Every structure is written in C-alpha cells, then in structure tokens.
C-alpha cells in the first residue's frame, strides 16, 4: 500500500483496546459482547482483530469466510450484519487465510508489518467506536498497534482478567505496559467470575473470587464489573449468535450492559 | 554499516537497543549482530518486496537482489549458515534424556497448570531428575504455580543455576529475573529469542531425566525458537492442551499444523476443563461446551491420541494460586486421577522413544 491509506481512521470517533497479560481470560469474548452492546445502543462499531496466531472474532460473530475487497482507500472491512445498515465492521487475518486450519507461523517483524497495514489501510469509514482485540502479552502486536495508532487518538484500554492470582499476576504487567506507553486504563473487567449451577443454583467460584476488584484497588484503576461464567454465553459465542439479543433476562446480560454503559459514558465525557 | 541504507536511523537504534548492543561489544560480536540486524531488516523487506528470502537458494543472486545494499551478505551464504548456538545447545542437552514441549494454539487452557503438575508427578519418583523451563517471556506463570515467587537466579562458573522446588525438581523462568511482580517484559521477537537461547545454552541443568518446556499460546517467535534451538538435540514430542469448545479447537488445529510443519512429533492431546461437577448437587455442567465434538472428534479426524480429559475443579486453580501441587493437596479427586493417568502415558511414551530417534 502506498499513502492511499492515509486518513482511514479520520472518521473513527473513539478507539478502545482490549488487553490482558493473560491468555484465555475472555478478551475476544468481551470485545464481541461490547461491540454487540454498543451496536444495540445505536453506535456504529468496528472490531480490529490483531491476534494473528489465534483470531477468534470471526467465529464469534458468525462471519465465516468472506472475501476481502479493496477500494481506493484500502481494504474494505467485512460487515457482520450485511442485512442491516453496516453497523458492525470487522477485520481479521482469518479473512486472509485460504484454509482456516492453516497456522500463521510468523516472527515479530512480519506480524508488525501486517498490523501496520490493518491499522492504516482498512477503510473503516465513519465509526463511533473501534475496538481492537489483542493477543495475550506485551510484545510485537501490542507495540505495533500503539505505534501505528500514534497519530490517532486512542481513548484507552479495557483490561480483562479472571479472578485468580495467576491471572491478575500477568495483568499487573499489562498495567505496567499501559503506564509505560501512556495508554489510559479505562478500567478492569473480571470475567469468569463465579458459576451458578443451573440445576441447584449453588454458586461455585471455579476460578477463585474477587481478584479483579483487588487488582483495581491495588493499581488505582476503575473496576468496570464482573461477568459470570455462563454456558449460554459460551454456546452463543460458539455458534456466532448475539447473546444479548437471545438472553436479555440473564444476569450475564445485566453485567455486560452495565460495563458497556459505563464505558460509553466515559467515552462521551 | 550497510543496514543503515535500508532502515532509517531511528529504527536501527531501536533494534540495536532491543538487542542490548553497546559500543563496548567486541568487533566480532558487532559483526555478527550487524549480520543479524541485516537479516532482520531483510526478513521484513522480504514480506514487503519481491526479495527471494534470506534463506532461499536465490538469496543474493536473483534479479530482485540487484541494487540491494546487502546483496553481498546474502550471496556469501552468511544468511543461510546455522546458528552456532544450536550445536552448543546440542552439547548442553546431552545430559537431558527426554524433552517434552507443552503447547496450545489457545491461551488460558491450562498449559502452565499442566506443565507444573506434570513436573511434580514425574519428580514424585525420587530417582528421577526433572527440569521445568518456562519460555512464556511476557506472561511467566510458572514461578507462582510452583510456589517460587520472589526467588532469584544465581550465576556460577557452570552457568545459571535454576531454582529448586525439590532436590530433584529444578525450574527456570524469566519470572526469576524480574525484581517486581509489576515488571513488564515489553520485548519484540529478537530479544525474546535471545532469552530462550540463553535459557537452553546457559542454564546448568545437570543430569536430567525429563525437561518439560512450558510455552505461551500461539505459533510465533518463542515456538519457532525453541524448536530451532533444540533441532540439534532433538525433542521427544509435544503435548497439546485444549478445552472442549470450538473457539479453542480452531486455534489448537493451527498448533497441530505447526507441529507437522516443523516435524515435531505429537505425543497426544489433553482436553482440560472438561465438564464441571457441582459440589452440591453432583450434576455435571459443560461450561465450555464441546459443540463440535470436543477434543475426541478432533483427535479422530487428525489421527492423534487423546491422552485424557481433566474436569474443572476449583481446587486446581486454588492450588496454583497458592503455589502448591494439586496432586498432593487433593490426591483423591477425579481431576488428580485424570492427571496421574495422563502422566503415566507420557512416562510410557518416553520409555519407548528416544529424542535421538527424531529430528525437527
């Protein structure tokens, strides 16, 4: 791409990164659910999936294997809701792979180069919020995203953790990464926070309890809320269904909506 | 320096600082690093231009190479020469009988938990020497899970001394080199690779029966490096961890492709977090539902052994947080029984295979 990609983020009002030092805590899940919540609130949303080795978002939004087209400004994002008014745009390396089981076995420099293109050369158009889903860690992908977003305002990062110490231990390092790179921390989400047995309603703290809130206190960050372990949410993500539309009565819906509204308020403030 | 013709000065300075080069390095080291930097630049350019690639037979010789400032380096064959560290590591690893990697394409499935408990289980035989190497540079969980947080690594004449949990169980992790739990390791690929090379070459493991290597999720620098650096010494095989749901399996299939591409034998697959039995009513819930048949169907499709399924048990996470072995804390639980059965299969595999039989 030559300079034709310049300005692709000019009409994106807010950029929000979803980070965690730890793998498997639900970054992609929270990114997907926040995007759906923002869309239900009438916002135009984009998701940039920069997890090049394990891109999960396309499946969670039931997008399948569309072709990525080019236009004068660059790559056209894939819309997760083509029947509607293109309210949810998505870009992921999953769309560029012929075979979905193919491994992307790239070292840092190659990942950095593609992420640069993803950030600058996708013709997002007008968006209220662009969510960036990241892989775990504090390495090439994270540095590449921030370097390429330098010219554009980044509102901040949402950090996802599970309650247990093994998770919060890694997320502390991610908080340090945010501080070192001057990335504002919008808050911490504690995911997989308790499991209510559907048979007897007994609550089990499978991944411990309270770690996210403690971490927020320890590091002076905002605590955005807890999302419980919910097999209905996991199933919805497996099948690419909109959980928020399907299960609006659930406590998980309440938890996610609360977090989304808190974020919307802080972005508009 | 020739690289300055390709990289702008700022990029070059960042790469130099990431590799820790100062003006006081010996000129030979500086030359090797210059070649390395040139190779790193060229690898980036090869993605973007029509460069045939630094390892290609056409390196330095194709028409696309004309005018490239580093054409002569490629044409000399320097870019295709194997890293001398591979031979050094091969020599170091002659005292290590079996090497097992614990992999998963997916994060958070229980690689570190399994690596730690596999090590504990193997070390429960006091006649065996076990070593656990944590190459998750950005998110080192092993020190906490092994109850070794705050421990530091010491240097001796024979190299770095690992930290001992038991007399026969040694551990190495970048976590031991960090002075605070808040320290972030914000390194790009080349620096992570350098650390992994040091772990393999410079740690004084001594005589070891089993070296278990815990890895981060993905198929990137760390995975390529560990396979490359152990290519002379040989790896017995990889254990692949997954959880039952398709969101996990889709990443794990990529990891399995990676193993096949680099000729890494797969001992088998473990399905972790496989169902939860409510402690009150004893009903089972599939919190991570196997919507596409779970690990069993994947193993059938890919002709791989399913080593076992481990159920979700809150006491596992609690033990990890407290740095204790779940196998000792709750030995009668179904999860502990599942672990022991899987560990025995791994012992049996190692007994009937030798790392020198396979080459990556």
């Amino acid at each position: 791409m030559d300079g034709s990609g310049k300005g692709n983020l000019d009409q994106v009002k807010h950029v929000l990164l979803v980070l965690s030092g730890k793998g498997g805590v639900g970054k992609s899940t929270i990114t997907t659910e926040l995007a759906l919540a923002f869309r239900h609130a009438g916002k135009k949303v984009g998701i940039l999936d920069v997890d090049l080795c394990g891109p999960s978002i396309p499946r969670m939004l039931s997008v399948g294997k569309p072709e990525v087209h080019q236009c004068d400004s660059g790559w056209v994002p894939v819309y997760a809701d083509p029947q509607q008014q293109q309210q949810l745009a998505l870009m992921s390396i999953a769309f560029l792979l012929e075979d979905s089981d193919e491994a992307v076995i790239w070292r840092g420099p190659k990942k950095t180069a593609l992420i640069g293109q993803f950030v600058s050369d996708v013709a997002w158009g007008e968006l209220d919020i662009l969510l960036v889903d990241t892989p775990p860690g504090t390495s090439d992908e994270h540095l590449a995203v921030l370097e390429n977003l330098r010219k554009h305002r980044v509102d901040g990062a949402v950090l996802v953790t599970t309650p247990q110490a093994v998770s919060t231990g890694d997320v502390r390092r991610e908080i340090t990464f945010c501080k070192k790179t001057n990335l504002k921390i919008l808050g911490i989400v504690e995911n997989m926070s308790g499991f209510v047995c559907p048979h007897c309603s007994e609550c089990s703290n499978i991944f411990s309890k309270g770690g996210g809130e403690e971490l927020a206190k320890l590091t002076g960050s905002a605590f955005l809320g807890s999302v419980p372990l919910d097999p209905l949410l996991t199933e919805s993500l497996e099948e690419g269904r909109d959980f928020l539309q399907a299960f609006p009565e659930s406590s998980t819906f309440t938890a996610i909506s609360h977090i989304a509204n808190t974020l919307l308020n802080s972005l508009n403030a | 320096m020739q690289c300055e013709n390709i990289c702008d000065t700022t990029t070059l300075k960042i790469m130099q600082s990431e590799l820790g080069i100062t003006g006081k390095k010996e000129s030979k080291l500086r030359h090797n690093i210059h070649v390395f930097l040139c190779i790193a630049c060229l690898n980036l350019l090869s993605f973007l231009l029509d460069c045939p690639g630094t390892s290609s037979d056409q390196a330095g010789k194709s028409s696309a190479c004309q005018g490239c400032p580093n054409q002569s380096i490629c044409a000399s064959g320097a870019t295709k020469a194997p890293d001398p560290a591979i031979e050094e590591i091969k020599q170091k690893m002659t005292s290590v009988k079996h090497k097992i990697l614990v992999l998963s394409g997916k994060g958070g499935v229980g690689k570190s938990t399994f690596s730690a408990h596999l090590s504990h289980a193997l070390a429960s035989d006091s006649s065996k020497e076990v070593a656990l190497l944590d190459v998750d540079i950005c998110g080192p969980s092993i020190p906490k899970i092994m109850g070794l947080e705050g421990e530091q690594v010491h240097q001796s004449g024979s190299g770095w001394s690992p930290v001992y949990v038991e007399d026969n169980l040694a551990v190495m992790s970048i976590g031991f080199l960090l002075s605070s739990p808040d320290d972030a390791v914000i390194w790009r690929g080349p620096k992570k690779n350098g650390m992994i090379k040091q772990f393999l070459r410079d740690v004084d493991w001594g005589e070891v029966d089993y070296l278990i290597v815990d890895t981060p999720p993905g198929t990137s620098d760390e995975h390529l490096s560990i396979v490359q650096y152990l290519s002379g010494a040989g790896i017995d095989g990889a254990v692949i961890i997954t959880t039952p749901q398709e969101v996990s399996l889709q990443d794990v299939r990529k990891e399995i492709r990676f193993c096949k591409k680099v000729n890494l034998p797969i001992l088998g697959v473990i399905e972790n977090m496989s169902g939860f039995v409510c402690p009150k009513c004893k009903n089972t819930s599939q919190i991570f539902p196997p919507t596409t048949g779970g690990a069993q169907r994947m193993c059938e499709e890919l002709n791989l052994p399913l080593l076992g399924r481990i159920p979700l048990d809150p006491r596992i996470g609690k033990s990890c947080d407290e740095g204790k072995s779940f196998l000792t804390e709750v030995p009668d639980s179904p999860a502990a029984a599942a672990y022991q059965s899987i560990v025995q299969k791994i012992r049996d595999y190692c007994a009937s295979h030798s790392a020198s039989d396979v080459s990556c």
Side-chain angles (χ1 to χ4, degrees), chain A:
Chain A
M1 291 284 158
D2 54 24
S4 63
K6 199 173 167 183
N8 270 325
L9 291 171
D10 285 353
Q11 292 180 293
V12 173
K13 291 202 188 96
H14 299 285
V15 179
L16 221 143
L17 269 58
V18 181
L19 302 174
S20 178
K22 186 82 183 68
V25 296
K27 291 176 290 305
S28 300
T29 299
I30 296 294
T31 303
T32 300
E33 297 310 312
L34 284 177
L36 292 169
F38 292 155
R39 197 191 69 182
H40 286 305
K43 303 293 180 193
K44 285 194 96 163
V45 188
I47 303 179
L48 173 56
D49 177 6
V50 300
D51 189 343
L52 302 184
C53 295
S56 304
I57 304 275
R59 187 181 178 92
M60 292 179 173
L61 288 170
S62 195
V63 174
K65 295 227 55 224
E67 270 183 34
V68 173
H69 302 286
Q70 288 194 6
C71 65
D72 289 340
S73 328
W75 288 342
V76 179
V78 171
Y79 290 95
D81 54 348
Q83 308 306 327
Q84 292 156 51
Q85 284 129 19
Q86 299 189 332
Q87 297 278 88
L88 184 47
L90 175 54
M91 182 50 71
S92 169
I93 198 176
F95 302 142
L96 307 178
L97 300 173
E98 289 264 328
D99 176 358
S100 52
D101 291 341
E102 195 55 48
V104 174
I105 312 172
W106 291 355
R107 289 196 186 264
K110 203 158 178 174
K111 292 197 279 188
T112 298
L114 184 63
I115 289 171
Q117 283 197 275
F118 271 177
V119 173
S120 313
D121 298 339
V122 173
W124 296 106
E126 237 185 74
L127 285 182
D128 292 299
I129 302 170
L130 176 63
L131 288 157
V132 183
D133 184 29
T134 62
T138 50
S139 191
D140 297 90
E141 295 90 334
H142 313 85
L143 290 166
V145 163
L146 286 179
E147 274 163 14
N148 284 284
L149 282 172
R150 226 178 325 162
K151 295 178 202 124
H152 188 88
R153 196 178 72 122
V154 178
D155 291 71
V158 172
L159 277 93
V160 184
T161 185
T162 54
Q164 85 245 70
V166 168
S167 178
T168 56
D170 280 350
V171 179
R172 281 175 81 165
R173 302 187 213 279
E174 199 75 16
I175 289 173
T176 304
F177 170 82
C178 292
K179 290 181 176 167
K180 281 198 164 166
T181 52
N182 291 320
L183 180 56
K184 183 177 173 193
I185 296 171
L186 296 170
I188 293 176
V189 171
E190 181 180 282
N191 195 21
M192 307 197 196
S193 192
F195 171 67
V196 176
C197 177
H199 304 279
C200 68
S201 301
E202 168 88 351
C203 180
S204 294
N205 291 316
I206 299 181
F207 298 115
S208 189
K209 178 190 168 78
E213 211 163 350
E214 271 169 39
L215 179 67
K217 274 200 203 108
L218 179 72
T219 55
S221 315
F223 182 64
L224 294 172
S226 311
V227 178
L229 262 171
D230 188 340
L232 293 172
L233 174 59
T234 329
E235 242 176 67
S236 298
L237 293 161
E238 285 280 283
E239 288 156 18
R241 270 189 287 123
D242 185 339
F243 169 83
L244 300 175
Q245 198 160 58
F247 301 102
E249 307 292 318
S250 63
S251 55
T252 311
F253 172 92
T254 311
I256 293 171
S257 302
H258 170 76
I259 293 166
N261 289 333
T262 308
L263 282 168
L264 279 175
N265 290 336
S266 70
L267 291 178
N268 291 330

Side-chain angles (χ1 to χ4, degrees), chain B residues 61-94:
Chain B
K61 298 172 190 164
S62 91
S63 55
C65 303
Q66 296 298 325
C68 174
N70 290 305
Q71 183 181 11
S72 55
I73 292 181
C74 283
S76 73
T79 55
K80 293 199 282 279
D83 189 331
I86 295 173
E87 183 58 36
E88 291 168 335
I89 290 166
K90 181 180 175 183
Q91 293 309 315
K92 193 82 182 197
M93 289 283 141
T94 49

Side-chain angles (χ1 to χ4, degrees), chain B residues 230-248:
Chain B
L230 286 175
S231 58
I235 302 173
D236 289 65
V239 171
I240 311 269
I241 315 275
T242 185
T243 49
Q245 79 269 43
E246 178 59 26
V247 163
S248 181

